[in-house]
mmCIF file of all heavy atoms in Angstrom:
data_model
loop_
_atom_site.group_PDB
_atom_site.id
_atom_site.type_symbol
_atom_site.label_atom_id
_atom_site.label_comp_id
_atom_site.label_asym_id
_atom_site.label_seq_id
_atom_site.Cartn_x
_atom_site.Cartn_y
_atom_site.Cartn_z
ATOM 1 N N SER A 298 -12.614 -16.372 2.640
ATOM 2 C CA SER A 298 -13.514 -15.317 2.164
ATOM 3 C C SER A 298 -14.272 -14.643 3.298
ATOM 4 O O SER A 298 -14.761 -13.524 3.139
ATOM 5 C CB SER A 298 -14.504 -15.896 1.150
ATOM 6 O OG SER A 298 -15.275 -16.932 1.738
ATOM 7 N N ASP A 299 -14.399 -15.309 4.461
ATOM 8 C CA ASP A 299 -15.117 -14.728 5.594
ATOM 9 C C ASP A 299 -14.281 -13.718 6.364
ATOM 10 O O ASP A 299 -14.844 -12.871 7.070
ATOM 11 C CB ASP A 299 -15.582 -15.839 6.551
ATOM 12 C CG ASP A 299 -16.565 -16.787 5.901
ATOM 13 O OD1 ASP A 299 -17.397 -16.312 5.107
ATOM 14 O OD2 ASP A 299 -16.489 -18.005 6.175
ATOM 15 N N ALA A 300 -12.964 -13.821 6.287
ATOM 16 C CA ALA A 300 -12.094 -12.963 7.098
ATOM 17 C C ALA A 300 -11.232 -12.022 6.279
ATOM 18 O O ALA A 300 -10.553 -11.172 6.843
ATOM 19 C CB ALA A 300 -11.193 -13.830 7.989
ATOM 20 N N MET A 301 -11.250 -12.143 4.988
ATOM 21 C CA MET A 301 -10.333 -11.363 4.150
ATOM 22 C C MET A 301 -10.781 -9.905 4.055
ATOM 23 O O MET A 301 -11.931 -9.550 4.323
ATOM 24 C CB MET A 301 -10.270 -11.966 2.749
ATOM 25 C CG MET A 301 -11.556 -11.764 1.952
ATOM 26 S SD MET A 301 -11.468 -12.423 0.286
ATOM 27 C CE MET A 301 -13.041 -11.847 -0.374
ATOM 28 N N THR A 302 -9.839 -9.053 3.641
ATOM 29 C CA THR A 302 -10.130 -7.675 3.267
ATOM 30 C C THR A 302 -10.296 -7.627 1.755
ATOM 31 O O THR A 302 -9.412 -8.085 1.024
ATOM 32 C CB THR A 302 -8.987 -6.738 3.693
ATOM 33 O OG1 THR A 302 -8.808 -6.821 5.103
ATOM 34 C CG2 THR A 302 -9.285 -5.307 3.299
ATOM 35 N N PRO A 303 -11.412 -7.140 1.239
ATOM 36 C CA PRO A 303 -11.613 -7.121 -0.225
ATOM 37 C C PRO A 303 -10.470 -6.403 -0.919
ATOM 38 O O PRO A 303 -9.874 -5.464 -0.397
ATOM 39 C CB PRO A 303 -12.945 -6.376 -0.388
ATOM 40 C CG PRO A 303 -13.653 -6.579 0.917
ATOM 41 C CD PRO A 303 -12.580 -6.607 1.961
ATOM 42 N N ILE A 304 -10.176 -6.852 -2.125
ATOM 43 C CA ILE A 304 -9.051 -6.296 -2.875
ATOM 44 C C ILE A 304 -9.263 -4.819 -3.183
ATOM 45 O O ILE A 304 -8.294 -4.048 -3.301
ATOM 46 C CB ILE A 304 -8.850 -7.103 -4.188
ATOM 47 C CG1 ILE A 304 -7.422 -6.909 -4.725
ATOM 48 C CG2 ILE A 304 -9.896 -6.738 -5.215
ATOM 49 C CD1 ILE A 304 -6.372 -7.569 -3.920
ATOM 50 N N SER A 305 -10.531 -4.390 -3.271
ATOM 51 C CA SER A 305 -10.818 -2.977 -3.552
ATOM 52 C C SER A 305 -10.489 -2.078 -2.372
ATOM 53 O O SER A 305 -10.309 -0.868 -2.538
ATOM 54 C CB SER A 305 -12.295 -2.811 -3.939
ATOM 55 O OG SER A 305 -13.136 -3.275 -2.891
ATOM 56 N N GLU A 306 -10.430 -2.645 -1.170
ATOM 57 C CA GLU A 306 -10.126 -1.867 0.027
ATOM 58 C C GLU A 306 -8.687 -2.061 0.496
ATOM 59 O O GLU A 306 -8.311 -1.576 1.558
ATOM 60 C CB GLU A 306 -11.087 -2.261 1.156
ATOM 61 C CG GLU A 306 -12.560 -2.072 0.804
ATOM 62 C CD GLU A 306 -13.483 -2.555 1.905
ATOM 63 O OE1 GLU A 306 -12.958 -2.891 2.988
ATOM 64 O OE2 GLU A 306 -14.703 -2.602 1.684
ATOM 65 N N THR A 307 -7.899 -2.772 -0.283
ATOM 66 C CA THR A 307 -6.526 -3.071 0.100
ATOM 67 C C THR A 307 -5.581 -1.977 -0.379
ATOM 68 O O THR A 307 -5.656 -1.539 -1.537
ATOM 69 C CB THR A 307 -6.090 -4.426 -0.489
ATOM 70 O OG1 THR A 307 -6.980 -5.437 -0.037
ATOM 71 C CG2 THR A 307 -4.673 -4.769 -0.062
ATOM 72 N N PHE A 308 -4.700 -1.531 0.491
ATOM 73 C CA PHE A 308 -3.678 -0.561 0.124
ATOM 74 C C PHE A 308 -2.474 -1.303 -0.445
ATOM 75 O O PHE A 308 -1.872 -2.135 0.230
ATOM 76 C CB PHE A 308 -3.256 0.256 1.350
ATOM 77 C CG PHE A 308 -2.047 1.130 1.103
ATOM 78 C CD1 PHE A 308 -2.119 2.204 0.238
ATOM 79 C CD2 PHE A 308 -0.840 0.850 1.727
ATOM 80 C CE1 PHE A 308 -1.008 3.004 0.008
ATOM 81 C CE2 PHE A 308 0.265 1.635 1.503
ATOM 82 C CZ PHE A 308 0.192 2.719 0.640
ATOM 83 N N ALA A 309 -2.147 -1.034 -1.701
ATOM 84 C CA ALA A 309 -1.019 -1.670 -2.374
ATOM 85 C C ALA A 309 -0.302 -0.628 -3.217
ATOM 86 O O ALA A 309 -0.872 0.408 -3.589
ATOM 87 C CB ALA A 309 -1.491 -2.840 -3.235
ATOM 88 N N ILE A 310 0.966 -0.902 -3.531
ATOM 89 C CA ILE A 310 1.768 0.028 -4.324
ATOM 90 C C ILE A 310 2.254 -0.663 -5.587
ATOM 91 O O ILE A 310 2.424 -1.886 -5.619
ATOM 92 C CB ILE A 310 2.970 0.565 -3.508
ATOM 93 C CG1 ILE A 310 3.863 -0.585 -3.051
ATOM 94 C CG2 ILE A 310 2.490 1.372 -2.321
ATOM 95 C CD1 ILE A 310 5.103 -0.124 -2.296
ATOM 96 N N ASP A 311 2.474 0.145 -6.611
ATOM 97 C CA ASP A 311 2.926 -0.371 -7.898
ATOM 98 C C ASP A 311 4.415 -0.672 -7.833
ATOM 99 O O ASP A 311 5.195 0.076 -7.230
ATOM 100 C CB ASP A 311 2.642 0.665 -8.988
ATOM 101 C CG ASP A 311 2.859 0.110 -10.392
ATOM 102 O OD1 ASP A 311 3.334 -1.047 -10.508
ATOM 103 O OD2 ASP A 311 2.568 0.835 -11.355
ATOM 104 N N ILE A 312 4.814 -1.792 -8.445
ATOM 105 C CA ILE A 312 6.220 -2.175 -8.429
ATOM 106 C C ILE A 312 7.080 -1.185 -9.218
ATOM 107 O O ILE A 312 8.280 -1.053 -8.981
ATOM 108 C CB ILE A 312 6.405 -3.608 -8.973
ATOM 109 C CG1 ILE A 312 7.809 -4.113 -8.655
ATOM 110 C CG2 ILE A 312 6.103 -3.669 -10.463
ATOM 111 C CD1 ILE A 312 8.021 -5.566 -8.984
ATOM 112 N N ASN A 313 6.462 -0.457 -10.141
ATOM 113 C CA ASN A 313 7.200 0.517 -10.946
ATOM 114 C C ASN A 313 7.186 1.909 -10.321
ATOM 115 O O ASN A 313 7.740 2.853 -10.908
ATOM 116 C CB ASN A 313 6.627 0.587 -12.364
ATOM 117 C CG ASN A 313 6.837 -0.722 -13.124
ATOM 118 O OD1 ASN A 313 7.919 -1.315 -13.048
ATOM 119 N ND2 ASN A 313 5.819 -1.172 -13.837
ATOM 120 N N ALA A 314 6.548 2.067 -9.165
ATOM 121 C CA ALA A 314 6.516 3.375 -8.506
ATOM 122 C C ALA A 314 7.861 3.661 -7.848
ATOM 123 O O ALA A 314 8.710 2.769 -7.669
ATOM 124 C CB ALA A 314 5.390 3.404 -7.478
ATOM 125 N N LYS A 315 8.036 4.914 -7.479
ATOM 126 C CA LYS A 315 9.257 5.330 -6.803
ATOM 127 C C LYS A 315 8.940 5.716 -5.362
ATOM 128 O O LYS A 315 7.902 6.332 -5.086
ATOM 129 C CB LYS A 315 9.893 6.517 -7.533
ATOM 130 C CG LYS A 315 10.388 6.181 -8.932
ATOM 131 C CD LYS A 315 11.037 7.376 -9.583
ATOM 132 C CE LYS A 315 11.556 7.021 -10.982
ATOM 133 N NZ LYS A 315 12.208 8.191 -11.645
ATOM 134 N N LEU A 316 9.843 5.343 -4.478
ATOM 135 C CA LEU A 316 9.655 5.632 -3.062
ATOM 136 C C LEU A 316 10.070 7.069 -2.772
ATOM 137 O O LEU A 316 11.075 7.352 -2.109
ATOM 138 C CB LEU A 316 10.466 4.640 -2.224
ATOM 139 C CG LEU A 316 9.996 3.186 -2.292
ATOM 140 C CD1 LEU A 316 11.005 2.245 -1.664
ATOM 141 C CD2 LEU A 316 8.638 3.036 -1.611
ATOM 142 N N ASP A 317 9.260 8.010 -3.269
ATOM 143 C CA ASP A 317 9.527 9.415 -3.010
ATOM 144 C C ASP A 317 8.875 9.835 -1.702
ATOM 145 O O ASP A 317 8.314 9.016 -0.974
ATOM 146 C CB ASP A 317 9.031 10.267 -4.178
ATOM 147 C CG ASP A 317 7.569 9.986 -4.520
ATOM 148 O OD1 ASP A 317 6.887 9.307 -3.713
ATOM 149 O OD2 ASP A 317 7.105 10.420 -5.588
ATOM 150 N N LYS A 318 8.933 11.107 -1.416
ATOM 151 C CA LYS A 318 8.416 11.595 -0.142
ATOM 152 C C LYS A 318 6.918 11.383 -0.026
ATOM 153 O O LYS A 318 6.407 11.019 1.037
ATOM 154 C CB LYS A 318 8.755 13.083 -0.010
ATOM 155 C CG LYS A 318 8.382 13.675 1.337
ATOM 156 C CD LYS A 318 8.831 15.116 1.447
ATOM 157 C CE LYS A 318 8.476 15.692 2.821
ATOM 158 N NZ LYS A 318 8.912 17.107 2.964
ATOM 159 N N GLU A 319 6.197 11.599 -1.126
ATOM 160 C CA GLU A 319 4.742 11.434 -1.090
ATOM 161 C C GLU A 319 4.347 9.991 -0.798
ATOM 162 O O GLU A 319 3.473 9.728 0.043
ATOM 163 C CB GLU A 319 4.152 11.892 -2.420
ATOM 164 C CG GLU A 319 2.631 11.796 -2.476
ATOM 165 C CD GLU A 319 2.072 12.240 -3.829
ATOM 166 O OE1 GLU A 319 2.873 12.676 -4.689
ATOM 167 O OE2 GLU A 319 0.845 12.126 -4.011
ATOM 168 N N LEU A 320 4.986 9.039 -1.493
ATOM 169 C CA LEU A 320 4.650 7.632 -1.278
ATOM 170 C C LEU A 320 5.090 7.166 0.103
ATOM 171 O O LEU A 320 4.374 6.403 0.772
ATOM 172 C CB LEU A 320 5.298 6.767 -2.365
ATOM 173 C CG LEU A 320 5.003 5.264 -2.299
ATOM 174 C CD1 LEU A 320 3.504 5.009 -2.328
ATOM 175 C CD2 LEU A 320 5.691 4.523 -3.435
ATOM 176 N N MET A 321 6.250 7.604 0.562
ATOM 177 C CA MET A 321 6.722 7.215 1.895
ATOM 178 C C MET A 321 5.788 7.756 2.977
ATOM 179 O O MET A 321 5.471 7.054 3.945
ATOM 180 C CB MET A 321 8.134 7.727 2.099
ATOM 181 C CG MET A 321 9.170 7.092 1.177
ATOM 182 S SD MET A 321 9.622 5.419 1.657
ATOM 183 C CE MET A 321 10.738 5.752 2.990
ATOM 184 N N ASN A 322 5.313 8.995 2.816
ATOM 185 C CA ASN A 322 4.361 9.552 3.779
ATOM 186 C C ASN A 322 3.047 8.770 3.773
ATOM 187 O O ASN A 322 2.422 8.568 4.825
ATOM 188 C CB ASN A 322 4.091 11.021 3.469
ATOM 189 C CG ASN A 322 5.280 11.910 3.777
ATOM 190 O OD1 ASN A 322 6.125 11.547 4.602
ATOM 191 N ND2 ASN A 322 5.354 13.063 3.124
ATOM 192 N N LEU A 323 2.626 8.333 2.589
ATOM 193 C CA LEU A 323 1.387 7.548 2.498
ATOM 194 C C LEU A 323 1.540 6.210 3.203
ATOM 195 O O LEU A 323 0.620 5.755 3.904
ATOM 196 C CB LEU A 323 1.023 7.345 1.026
ATOM 197 C CG LEU A 323 -0.289 6.605 0.750
ATOM 198 C CD1 LEU A 323 -1.464 7.346 1.377
ATOM 199 C CD2 LEU A 323 -0.499 6.422 -0.747
ATOM 200 N N ILE A 324 2.711 5.573 3.035
ATOM 201 C CA ILE A 324 2.952 4.292 3.718
ATOM 202 C C ILE A 324 2.965 4.483 5.224
ATOM 203 O O ILE A 324 2.394 3.686 5.982
ATOM 204 C CB ILE A 324 4.280 3.679 3.219
ATOM 205 C CG1 ILE A 324 4.168 3.289 1.743
ATOM 206 C CG2 ILE A 324 4.654 2.462 4.060
ATOM 207 C CD1 ILE A 324 5.473 2.786 1.139
ATOM 208 N N VAL A 325 3.595 5.578 5.686
ATOM 209 C CA VAL A 325 3.627 5.859 7.127
ATOM 210 C C VAL A 325 2.233 6.148 7.647
ATOM 211 O O VAL A 325 1.841 5.727 8.743
ATOM 212 C CB VAL A 325 4.578 7.038 7.404
ATOM 213 C CG1 VAL A 325 4.482 7.459 8.859
ATOM 214 C CG2 VAL A 325 6.012 6.652 7.061
ATOM 215 N N GLU A 326 1.442 6.876 6.858
ATOM 216 C CA GLU A 326 0.087 7.203 7.283
ATOM 217 C C GLU A 326 -0.786 5.958 7.411
ATOM 218 O O GLU A 326 -1.596 5.847 8.341
ATOM 219 C CB GLU A 326 -0.534 8.173 6.280
ATOM 220 C CG GLU A 326 -1.953 8.593 6.634
ATOM 221 C CD GLU A 326 -2.560 9.499 5.580
ATOM 222 O OE1 GLU A 326 -1.814 9.916 4.664
ATOM 223 O OE2 GLU A 326 -3.773 9.770 5.662
ATOM 224 N N LYS A 327 -0.631 5.004 6.491
ATOM 225 C CA LYS A 327 -1.419 3.767 6.569
ATOM 226 C C LYS A 327 -1.029 2.942 7.781
ATOM 227 O O LYS A 327 -1.865 2.275 8.382
ATOM 228 C CB LYS A 327 -1.245 2.947 5.290
ATOM 229 C CG LYS A 327 -1.825 3.604 4.042
ATOM 230 C CD LYS A 327 -3.332 3.776 4.155
ATOM 231 C CE LYS A 327 -3.911 4.394 2.902
ATOM 232 N NZ LYS A 327 -5.386 4.560 2.993
ATOM 233 N N GLY A 328 0.251 2.956 8.144
ATOM 234 C CA GLY A 328 0.684 2.273 9.359
ATOM 235 C C GLY A 328 0.764 0.770 9.269
ATOM 236 O O GLY A 328 0.818 0.102 10.300
ATOM 237 N N HIS A 329 0.789 0.215 8.054
ATOM 238 C CA HIS A 329 0.861 -1.231 7.911
ATOM 239 C C HIS A 329 2.307 -1.697 8.019
ATOM 240 O O HIS A 329 3.242 -1.024 7.549
ATOM 241 C CB HIS A 329 0.288 -1.677 6.565
ATOM 242 C CG HIS A 329 -1.144 -1.289 6.373
ATOM 243 N ND1 HIS A 329 -2.117 -1.554 7.314
ATOM 244 C CD2 HIS A 329 -1.781 -0.651 5.345
ATOM 245 C CE1 HIS A 329 -3.290 -1.117 6.887
ATOM 246 N NE2 HIS A 329 -3.113 -0.553 5.694
ATOM 247 N N SER A 330 2.512 -2.849 8.617
ATOM 248 C CA SER A 330 3.861 -3.430 8.706
ATOM 249 C C SER A 330 4.247 -4.128 7.411
ATOM 250 O O SER A 330 5.436 -4.333 7.147
ATOM 251 C CB SER A 330 3.937 -4.415 9.872
ATOM 252 O OG SER A 330 3.018 -5.485 9.689
ATOM 253 N N ARG A 331 3.258 -4.499 6.590
ATOM 254 C CA ARG A 331 3.498 -5.162 5.310
ATOM 255 C C ARG A 331 2.648 -4.475 4.248
ATOM 256 O O ARG A 331 1.447 -4.259 4.469
ATOM 257 C CB ARG A 331 3.156 -6.655 5.377
ATOM 258 C CG ARG A 331 4.067 -7.446 6.306
ATOM 259 C CD ARG A 331 3.503 -8.836 6.572
ATOM 260 N NE ARG A 331 4.396 -9.626 7.397
ATOM 261 C CZ ARG A 331 4.474 -9.537 8.711
ATOM 262 N NH1 ARG A 331 3.664 -8.700 9.369
ATOM 263 N NH2 ARG A 331 5.319 -10.284 9.402
ATOM 264 N N VAL A 332 3.257 -4.164 3.140
ATOM 265 C CA VAL A 332 2.552 -3.461 2.068
ATOM 266 C C VAL A 332 2.595 -4.329 0.819
ATOM 267 O O VAL A 332 3.686 -4.656 0.322
ATOM 268 C CB VAL A 332 3.192 -2.092 1.786
ATOM 269 C CG1 VAL A 332 2.428 -1.369 0.666
ATOM 270 C CG2 VAL A 332 3.227 -1.236 3.040
ATOM 271 N N PRO A 333 1.442 -4.725 0.274
ATOM 272 C CA PRO A 333 1.428 -5.535 -0.959
ATOM 273 C C PRO A 333 1.960 -4.725 -2.149
ATOM 274 O O PRO A 333 1.787 -3.502 -2.225
ATOM 275 C CB PRO A 333 -0.048 -5.892 -1.134
ATOM 276 C CG PRO A 333 -0.668 -5.702 0.212
ATOM 277 C CD PRO A 333 0.102 -4.586 0.860
ATOM 278 N N VAL A 334 2.571 -5.438 -3.074
ATOM 279 C CA VAL A 334 3.115 -4.835 -4.288
ATOM 280 C C VAL A 334 2.428 -5.500 -5.480
ATOM 281 O O VAL A 334 2.359 -6.733 -5.559
ATOM 282 C CB VAL A 334 4.640 -5.031 -4.376
ATOM 283 C CG1 VAL A 334 5.174 -4.448 -5.681
ATOM 284 C CG2 VAL A 334 5.324 -4.385 -3.182
ATOM 285 N N TYR A 335 1.906 -4.671 -6.412
ATOM 286 C CA TYR A 335 1.221 -5.221 -7.571
ATOM 287 C C TYR A 335 1.965 -4.837 -8.844
ATOM 288 O O TYR A 335 2.802 -3.928 -8.872
ATOM 289 C CB TYR A 335 -0.237 -4.745 -7.631
ATOM 290 C CG TYR A 335 -0.420 -3.268 -7.887
ATOM 291 C CD1 TYR A 335 -0.469 -2.766 -9.189
ATOM 292 C CD2 TYR A 335 -0.568 -2.376 -6.834
ATOM 293 C CE1 TYR A 335 -0.638 -1.408 -9.432
ATOM 294 C CE2 TYR A 335 -0.746 -1.016 -7.063
ATOM 295 C CZ TYR A 335 -0.778 -0.538 -8.367
ATOM 296 O OH TYR A 335 -0.944 0.804 -8.611
#
């Protein structure tokens, strides 16, 4: 709990979403190597 990133500030994508241009650009903009899926 001392080192975590709160869930409200976490970037995650919906498992039912589609990897379209908008979502792919958002993932590139965030720059994370791992993206949580909810």
Side-chain angles (χ1 to χ4, degrees):
S298 59
D299 297 323
M301 70 178 186
T302 301
I304 201 71
S305 59
E306 302 176 8
T307 302
F308 171 67
I310 59 177
D311 190 354
I312 193 172
N313 294 317
K315 295 182 179 180
L316 293 169
D317 53 12
K318 185 176 181 180
E319 182 181 357
L320 182 56
M321 295 284 281
N322 289 336
L323 183 59
I324 294 175
V325 173
E326 180 183 352
K327 294 297 182 180
H329 300 310
S330 61
R331 294 167 177 81
V332 180
V334 177
Y335 67 87

